[in-house]
Amino acid sequence: MNPSARFSCFAGCDEHYALDEVVYRCRRCGALLDVTHDLDALRARSAAAWIDLFDRRWMRTAWPYGSGVWGKLEWVYPGIAHDSIVSFAEGGSNLLRADRYGRSIGVEDLWVKQCGNSHTGSFKDLGMTVLVSAVREMVRRGRGVRAVACASTGDTSAALAAYCAAAGVPALVLLPRDKVSVAQLLQPLANGATVLSLDTDFDGCMRVVKQITDDGSIYLANSMNSLRIEGQKTVAIEIVQQLDWSVPDWVVIPGGNLGNIYALGRGFQMMKDLGLIARMPRLCVAQAARANPLYRAFKSGWDRYEPITAQRTAASAIQIGDPVSIDRAIRVLKATDGVVEEASEDELSDAVARADRTGMYNCPHTGVALAAVEKLARAGTIERGQRVVVVSTAHGLKFTEFKRAYHTGALDGATARHDNRPIELPADVDAVRRALDARL
Ligand SMILES: *Cc1c(COP(=O)(O)O)cnc(C)c1O
Ligand SMILES: [Zn+2]
């Protein structure tokens, strides 16, 4: 067995490039690229044998297979030298049963894939380990790059900075000023990246970084780069693996630039092509109502897509009006009988607060997905008894300003119905007793 992979044109041109080439789009038609695998070579191992192999590697020590991403190395970047791999043991995040919250919203079989429980606190680590490892592989094969760059709403930049720091490669990140959390700004600063804070939004940063990386000497790390998709698609495989190789009925994911929904679809499709699963789940992209270009396209019956100017939302990582992977997302949703749902600031923050009351600690993007589940369940689109997995994309601790605004009743566009504040008292036992009696 000799698995191999290459870039191929998403739109179907007969164009293919090696994975160590600096190329993001089809040179003939300009479409994005897919990483395509030699499935026949992978079929030399049976579905049962892949399952056995993946289970034996899961969360163990042998380098680099203990990483959730690199445990699936042959499906991700076959042939990469182990020495090129830059890994923080990403992946393998917990899939938690959201029992009490699920029952409260009438979805009894609800699970949350905690992708934020990762090195830099978001699912972006899954893609970035592949991209930065690929850069090291390029350097090893004699193709140097001066730096790796990305535009970001805060999580891509944190991941890029950390993996580049581990690899000893210069990182350059472009952030929209005042539109990322304090934690997200500090992460790349601490990891020594060059941080450019621009007076624009994410879409504006994206336009600049595309031009900066134009001549190929600076490598582009945004999700239009399909190498990231290869790492992120392992979330689909992990979900199925953690459900003892069974397929949920629904997977709900918050979407902005829409690379992750495409990755999810690719992961499920690859498992189906190789016989590990027999059917696809239905997929749902959840968008903030203030940044909902995909939702609008869905509502038009996939008739019309128009970029919009995204408005400020607490779900800042998905505040994107002109998603680069729009065509990819629409293709995946059509293929999986998928839907798009939206959530207002009030709906997303209320869902976060109620879910937090059951012990979770959700980021606002996860709140968008939870609100979408609630709406789909109310509408009967998600049927009673169906198994639903929500992809939680980042750790709540990165979004302290959001939590504080909610719990002090100061969150824009939202009414705090489940706010909770500290009771400030003198250090006096009687005063404490009185306060407890009033509360319990
Ligand atoms: C990047 C990100 C998203 C959106 O992912 P896309 O691939 O851009 O759709 C959602 N949530 C969080 C926390 C993110 O960092
Ligand atoms: Zn093409």
PDB file of all heavy atoms in Angstrom, residues 28 54-56 61 69 113 124 200 204 227 258 266 271 289 306 310 318-319 341 363 383 425 434:
ATOM      1  N   ARG A  28      -5.876  27.072 -13.968  1.00  0.00           N
ATOM      2  CA  ARG A  28      -6.665  27.253 -15.191  1.00  0.00           C
ATOM      3  C   ARG A  28      -7.905  28.107 -14.936  1.00  0.00           C
ATOM      4  O   ARG A  28      -8.161  29.065 -15.643  1.00  0.00           O
ATOM      5  CB  ARG A  28      -7.077  25.896 -15.770  1.00  0.00           C
ATOM      6  CG  ARG A  28      -7.719  26.063 -17.155  1.00  0.00           C
ATOM      7  CD  ARG A  28      -8.036  24.745 -17.836  1.00  0.00           C
ATOM      8  NE  ARG A  28      -6.886  23.851 -17.899  1.00  0.00           N
ATOM      9  CZ  ARG A  28      -6.971  22.569 -18.254  1.00  0.00           C
ATOM     10  NH1 ARG A  28      -8.146  22.053 -18.580  1.00  0.00           N
ATOM     11  NH2 ARG A  28      -5.905  21.813 -18.283  1.00  0.00           N
ATOM     12  N   PHE A  54      -6.859   2.944  13.719  1.00  0.00           N
ATOM     13  CA  PHE A  54      -7.157   4.239  14.339  1.00  0.00           C
ATOM     14  C   PHE A  54      -7.418   4.084  15.833  1.00  0.00           C
ATOM     15  O   PHE A  54      -7.026   4.929  16.631  1.00  0.00           O
ATOM     16  CB  PHE A  54      -8.367   4.904  13.659  1.00  0.00           C
ATOM     17  CG  PHE A  54      -8.117   5.344  12.228  1.00  0.00           C
ATOM     18  CD1 PHE A  54      -9.190   5.592  11.377  1.00  0.00           C
ATOM     19  CD2 PHE A  54      -6.832   5.527  11.747  1.00  0.00           C
ATOM     20  CE1 PHE A  54      -8.975   6.010  10.061  1.00  0.00           C
ATOM     21  CE2 PHE A  54      -6.596   5.941  10.432  1.00  0.00           C
ATOM     22  CZ  PHE A  54      -7.680   6.182   9.590  1.00  0.00           C
ATOM     23  N   ASP A  55      -8.081   3.002  16.207  1.00  0.00           N
ATOM     24  CA  ASP A  55      -8.342   2.780  17.636  1.00  0.00           C
ATOM     25  C   ASP A  55      -7.066   2.451  18.403  1.00  0.00           C
ATOM     26  O   ASP A  55      -6.892   2.881  19.544  1.00  0.00           O
ATOM     27  CB  ASP A  55      -9.369   1.651  17.820  1.00  0.00           C
ATOM     28  CG  ASP A  55     -10.808   2.136  17.631  1.00  0.00           C
ATOM     29  OD1 ASP A  55     -11.034   3.374  17.633  1.00  0.00           O
ATOM     30  OD2 ASP A  55     -11.702   1.287  17.482  1.00  0.00           O
ATOM     31  N   ARG A  56      -6.165   1.730  17.785  1.00  0.00           N
ATOM     32  CA  ARG A  56      -4.914   1.392  18.483  1.00  0.00           C
ATOM     33  C   ARG A  56      -4.045   2.622  18.686  1.00  0.00           C
ATOM     34  O   ARG A  56      -3.318   2.733  19.660  1.00  0.00           O
ATOM     35  CB  ARG A  56      -4.142   0.319  17.705  1.00  0.00           C
ATOM     36  CG  ARG A  56      -4.606  -1.103  18.064  1.00  0.00           C
ATOM     37  CD  ARG A  56      -3.714  -2.170  17.457  1.00  0.00           C
ATOM     38  NE  ARG A  56      -3.972  -2.358  16.042  1.00  0.00           N
ATOM     39  CZ  ARG A  56      -3.056  -2.179  15.083  1.00  0.00           C
ATOM     40  NH1 ARG A  56      -1.826  -1.813  15.389  1.00  0.00           N
ATOM     41  NH2 ARG A  56      -3.389  -2.372  13.822  1.00  0.00           N
ATOM     42  N   THR A  61       1.228   7.098  22.703  1.00  0.00           N
ATOM     43  CA  THR A  61       2.487   7.833  22.766  1.00  0.00           C
ATOM     44  C   THR A  61       3.272   7.865  21.461  1.00  0.00           C
ATOM     45  O   THR A  61       3.960   8.846  21.179  1.00  0.00           O
ATOM     46  CB  THR A  61       3.383   7.193  23.852  1.00  0.00           C
ATOM     47  OG1 THR A  61       2.578   6.981  24.999  1.00  0.00           O
ATOM     48  CG2 THR A  61       4.554   8.087  24.204  1.00  0.00           C
ATOM     49  N   VAL A  69      -5.056  14.200  14.864  1.00  0.00           N
ATOM     50  CA  VAL A  69      -4.889  14.435  13.429  1.00  0.00           C
ATOM     51  C   VAL A  69      -3.924  13.426  12.822  1.00  0.00           C
ATOM     52  O   VAL A  69      -4.231  12.750  11.833  1.00  0.00           O
ATOM     53  CB  VAL A  69      -4.376  15.877  13.181  1.00  0.00           C
ATOM     54  CG1 VAL A  69      -4.005  16.070  11.712  1.00  0.00           C
ATOM     55  CG2 VAL A  69      -5.423  16.894  13.615  1.00  0.00           C
ATOM     56  N   LYS A 113     -18.981  18.175  20.829  1.00  0.00           N
ATOM     57  CA  LYS A 113     -17.574  17.889  20.548  1.00  0.00           C
ATOM     58  C   LYS A 113     -16.760  19.115  20.927  1.00  0.00           C
ATOM     59  O   LYS A 113     -16.853  20.167  20.277  1.00  0.00           O
ATOM     60  CB  LYS A 113     -17.414  17.536  19.065  1.00  0.00           C
ATOM     61  CG  LYS A 113     -15.980  17.303  18.606  1.00  0.00           C
ATOM     62  CD  LYS A 113     -15.337  16.082  19.235  1.00  0.00           C
ATOM     63  CE  LYS A 113     -14.005  15.768  18.546  1.00  0.00           C
ATOM     64  NZ  LYS A 113     -13.156  14.926  19.422  1.00  0.00           N
ATOM     65  N   LYS A 124      -8.970  25.406  15.315  1.00  0.00           N
ATOM     66  CA  LYS A 124      -7.995  25.823  14.307  1.00  0.00           C
ATOM     67  C   LYS A 124      -6.672  25.060  14.439  1.00  0.00           C
ATOM     68  O   LYS A 124      -5.933  24.944  13.465  1.00  0.00           O
ATOM     69  CB  LYS A 124      -7.745  27.321  14.391  1.00  0.00           C
ATOM     70  CG  LYS A 124      -8.973  28.202  14.163  1.00  0.00           C
ATOM     71  CD  LYS A 124      -9.529  28.084  12.756  1.00  0.00           C
ATOM     72  CE  LYS A 124     -10.437  29.235  12.334  1.00  0.00           C
ATOM     73  NZ  LYS A 124     -11.658  29.439  13.108  1.00  0.00           N
ATOM     74  N   THR A 200      -9.976  47.763   9.939  1.00  0.00           N
ATOM     75  CA  THR A 200     -10.920  47.195   8.982  1.00  0.00           C
ATOM     76  C   THR A 200     -11.592  46.010   9.655  1.00  0.00           C
ATOM     77  O   THR A 200     -11.431  45.797  10.856  1.00  0.00           O
ATOM     78  CB  THR A 200     -10.195  46.766   7.685  1.00  0.00           C
ATOM     79  OG1 THR A 200     -11.146  46.196   6.772  1.00  0.00           O
ATOM     80  CG2 THR A 200      -9.122  45.727   7.959  1.00  0.00           C
ATOM     81  N   GLY A 204     -11.656  42.789   5.148  1.00  0.00           N
ATOM     82  CA  GLY A 204     -10.613  43.732   4.746  1.00  0.00           C
ATOM     83  C   GLY A 204      -9.218  43.158   4.966  1.00  0.00           C
ATOM     84  O   GLY A 204      -8.328  43.297   4.121  1.00  0.00           O
ATOM     85  N   LEU A 227      -4.815  22.522   2.754  1.00  0.00           N
ATOM     86  CA  LEU A 227      -4.096  21.669   3.710  1.00  0.00           C
ATOM     87  C   LEU A 227      -4.754  21.734   5.082  1.00  0.00           C
ATOM     88  O   LEU A 227      -4.809  20.741   5.805  1.00  0.00           O
ATOM     89  CB  LEU A 227      -2.631  22.104   3.802  1.00  0.00           C
ATOM     90  CG  LEU A 227      -1.797  21.794   2.556  1.00  0.00           C
ATOM     91  CD1 LEU A 227      -0.468  22.535   2.625  1.00  0.00           C
ATOM     92  CD2 LEU A 227      -1.563  20.287   2.429  1.00  0.00           C
ATOM     93  N   LEU A 258     -16.485  29.311   6.391  1.00  0.00           N
ATOM     94  CA  LEU A 258     -17.096  28.083   5.874  1.00  0.00           C
ATOM     95  C   LEU A 258     -16.099  27.005   5.455  1.00  0.00           C
ATOM     96  O   LEU A 258     -16.469  26.055   4.765  1.00  0.00           O
ATOM     97  CB  LEU A 258     -18.085  28.396   4.742  1.00  0.00           C
ATOM     98  CG  LEU A 258     -19.178  29.406   5.129  1.00  0.00           C
ATOM     99  CD1 LEU A 258     -20.068  29.721   3.929  1.00  0.00           C
ATOM    100  CD2 LEU A 258     -20.007  28.875   6.293  1.00  0.00           C
ATOM    101  N   ARG A 266     -16.076  16.630   4.070  1.00  0.00           N
ATOM    102  CA  ARG A 266     -15.015  15.815   3.463  1.00  0.00           C
ATOM    103  C   ARG A 266     -14.662  14.615   4.339  1.00  0.00           C
ATOM    104  O   ARG A 266     -14.395  13.525   3.843  1.00  0.00           O
ATOM    105  CB  ARG A 266     -13.753  16.655   3.250  1.00  0.00           C
ATOM    106  CG  ARG A 266     -13.919  17.833   2.323  1.00  0.00           C
ATOM    107  CD  ARG A 266     -13.939  17.464   0.868  1.00  0.00           C
ATOM    108  NE  ARG A 266     -12.637  17.068   0.371  1.00  0.00           N
ATOM    109  CZ  ARG A 266     -12.422  16.584  -0.848  1.00  0.00           C
ATOM    110  NH1 ARG A 266     -13.429  16.435  -1.678  1.00  0.00           N
ATOM    111  NH2 ARG A 266     -11.207  16.252  -1.237  1.00  0.00           N
ATOM    112  N   MET A 271     -14.892   8.696   4.902  1.00  0.00           N
ATOM    113  CA  MET A 271     -15.237   7.468   5.650  1.00  0.00           C
ATOM    114  C   MET A 271     -16.247   6.636   4.867  1.00  0.00           C
ATOM    115  O   MET A 271     -16.176   5.403   4.871  1.00  0.00           O
ATOM    116  CB  MET A 271     -15.828   7.833   7.016  1.00  0.00           C
ATOM    117  CG  MET A 271     -14.793   8.295   8.017  1.00  0.00           C
ATOM    118  SD  MET A 271     -15.499   8.498   9.673  1.00  0.00           S
ATOM    119  CE  MET A 271     -16.300  10.078   9.508  1.00  0.00           C
ATOM    120  N   ALA A 289     -27.089  35.998  13.064  1.00  0.00           N
ATOM    121  CA  ALA A 289     -28.000  36.746  12.185  1.00  0.00           C
ATOM    122  C   ALA A 289     -27.339  38.014  11.651  1.00  0.00           C
ATOM    123  O   ALA A 289     -27.710  38.523  10.604  1.00  0.00           O
ATOM    124  CB  ALA A 289     -29.286  37.081  12.943  1.00  0.00           C
ATOM    125  N   GLU A 306     -25.125  36.468  -2.161  1.00  0.00           N
ATOM    126  CA  GLU A 306     -24.518  37.788  -2.242  1.00  0.00           C
ATOM    127  C   GLU A 306     -23.692  38.047  -1.001  1.00  0.00           C
ATOM    128  O   GLU A 306     -24.186  37.860   0.116  1.00  0.00           O
ATOM    129  CB  GLU A 306     -25.605  38.861  -2.320  1.00  0.00           C
ATOM    130  CG  GLU A 306     -26.055  39.175  -3.726  1.00  0.00           C
ATOM    131  CD  GLU A 306     -27.111  40.263  -3.721  1.00  0.00           C
ATOM    132  OE1 GLU A 306     -26.833  41.329  -3.131  1.00  0.00           O
ATOM    133  OE2 GLU A 306     -28.196  40.025  -4.269  1.00  0.00           O
ATOM    134  N   ALA A 310     -20.692  42.233   7.169  1.00  0.00           N
ATOM    135  CA  ALA A 310     -21.093  41.629   8.438  1.00  0.00           C
ATOM    136  C   ALA A 310     -21.178  42.704   9.513  1.00  0.00           C
ATOM    137  O   ALA A 310     -20.343  43.603   9.572  1.00  0.00           O
ATOM    138  CB  ALA A 310     -20.089  40.556   8.837  1.00  0.00           C
ATOM    139  N   ILE A 318     -17.006  34.467  13.729  1.00  0.00           N
ATOM    140  CA  ILE A 318     -17.764  34.186  12.505  1.00  0.00           C
ATOM    141  C   ILE A 318     -18.400  35.464  11.952  1.00  0.00           C
ATOM    142  O   ILE A 318     -19.381  35.408  11.238  1.00  0.00           O
ATOM    143  CB  ILE A 318     -18.817  33.067  12.720  1.00  0.00           C
ATOM    144  CG1 ILE A 318     -19.751  33.390  13.889  1.00  0.00           C
ATOM    145  CG2 ILE A 318     -18.124  31.738  12.945  1.00  0.00           C
ATOM    146  CD1 ILE A 318     -20.872  32.348  14.050  1.00  0.00           C
ATOM    147  N   GLN A 319     -17.790  36.582  12.290  1.00  0.00           N
ATOM    148  CA  GLN A 319     -18.275  37.871  11.764  1.00  0.00           C
ATOM    149  C   GLN A 319     -17.645  38.087  10.384  1.00  0.00           C
ATOM    150  O   GLN A 319     -16.694  38.840  10.220  1.00  0.00           O
ATOM    151  CB  GLN A 319     -17.891  38.989  12.739  1.00  0.00           C
ATOM    152  CG  GLN A 319     -18.500  40.331  12.382  1.00  0.00           C
ATOM    153  CD  GLN A 319     -18.132  41.393  13.409  1.00  0.00           C
ATOM    154  OE1 GLN A 319     -18.092  41.118  14.613  1.00  0.00           O
ATOM    155  NE2 GLN A 319     -17.847  42.600  12.949  1.00  0.00           N
ATOM    156  N   GLU A 341     -29.198  27.585   9.698  1.00  0.00           N
ATOM    157  CA  GLU A 341     -30.049  28.265  10.675  1.00  0.00           C
ATOM    158  C   GLU A 341     -29.283  29.477  11.173  1.00  0.00           C
ATOM    159  O   GLU A 341     -28.063  29.551  11.028  1.00  0.00           O
ATOM    160  CB  GLU A 341     -30.406  27.291  11.815  1.00  0.00           C
ATOM    161  CG  GLU A 341     -31.435  27.760  12.806  1.00  0.00           C
ATOM    162  CD  GLU A 341     -32.717  28.300  12.162  1.00  0.00           C
ATOM    163  OE1 GLU A 341     -33.642  27.508  11.890  1.00  0.00           O
ATOM    164  OE2 GLU A 341     -32.778  29.526  11.937  1.00  0.00           O
ATOM    165  N   CYS A 363     -18.376  29.218  24.302  1.00  0.00           N
ATOM    166  CA  CYS A 363     -18.037  30.432  23.555  1.00  0.00           C
ATOM    167  C   CYS A 363     -19.287  30.878  22.788  1.00  0.00           C
ATOM    168  O   CYS A 363     -20.214  30.095  22.585  1.00  0.00           O
ATOM    169  CB  CYS A 363     -16.863  30.164  22.612  1.00  0.00           C
ATOM    170  SG  CYS A 363     -17.287  29.245  21.127  1.00  0.00           S
ATOM    171  N   GLU A 383     -35.798  15.664  14.602  1.00  0.00           N
ATOM    172  CA  GLU A 383     -36.925  14.896  15.147  1.00  0.00           C
ATOM    173  C   GLU A 383     -36.585  14.337  16.518  1.00  0.00           C
ATOM    174  O   GLU A 383     -35.422  14.125  16.860  1.00  0.00           O
ATOM    175  CB  GLU A 383     -37.263  13.753  14.177  1.00  0.00           C
ATOM    176  CG  GLU A 383     -37.812  14.262  12.852  1.00  0.00           C
ATOM    177  CD  GLU A 383     -37.826  13.170  11.787  1.00  0.00           C
ATOM    178  OE1 GLU A 383     -37.981  11.987  12.142  1.00  0.00           O
ATOM    179  OE2 GLU A 383     -37.669  13.511  10.602  1.00  0.00           O
ATOM    180  N   LEU A 425     -19.942  41.206  50.161  1.00  0.00           N
ATOM    181  CA  LEU A 425     -20.283  41.289  51.588  1.00  0.00           C
ATOM    182  C   LEU A 425     -19.029  41.528  52.409  1.00  0.00           C
ATOM    183  O   LEU A 425     -17.924  41.190  51.979  1.00  0.00           O
ATOM    184  CB  LEU A 425     -20.875  39.942  52.044  1.00  0.00           C
ATOM    185  CG  LEU A 425     -22.239  39.513  51.503  1.00  0.00           C
ATOM    186  CD1 LEU A 425     -22.517  38.092  51.957  1.00  0.00           C
ATOM    187  CD2 LEU A 425     -23.314  40.457  52.011  1.00  0.00           C
ATOM    188  N   ARG A 434     -27.213  35.455  56.342  1.00  0.00           N
ATOM    189  CA  ARG A 434     -28.410  36.150  55.853  1.00  0.00           C
ATOM    190  C   ARG A 434     -28.493  36.086  54.328  1.00  0.00           C
ATOM    191  O   ARG A 434     -29.555  35.827  53.762  1.00  0.00           O
ATOM    192  CB  ARG A 434     -28.396  37.616  56.318  1.00  0.00           C
ATOM    193  CG  ARG A 434     -28.995  37.825  57.706  1.00  0.00           C
ATOM    194  CD  ARG A 434     -29.330  39.300  57.980  1.00  0.00           C
ATOM    195  NE  ARG A 434     -28.180  40.196  57.848  1.00  0.00           N
ATOM    196  CZ  ARG A 434     -27.246  40.383  58.801  1.00  0.00           C
ATOM    197  NH1 ARG A 434     -27.342  39.749  59.974  1.00  0.00           N
ATOM    198  NH2 ARG A 434     -26.246  41.207  58.608  1.00  0.00           N
TER     199      ARG A 434
END
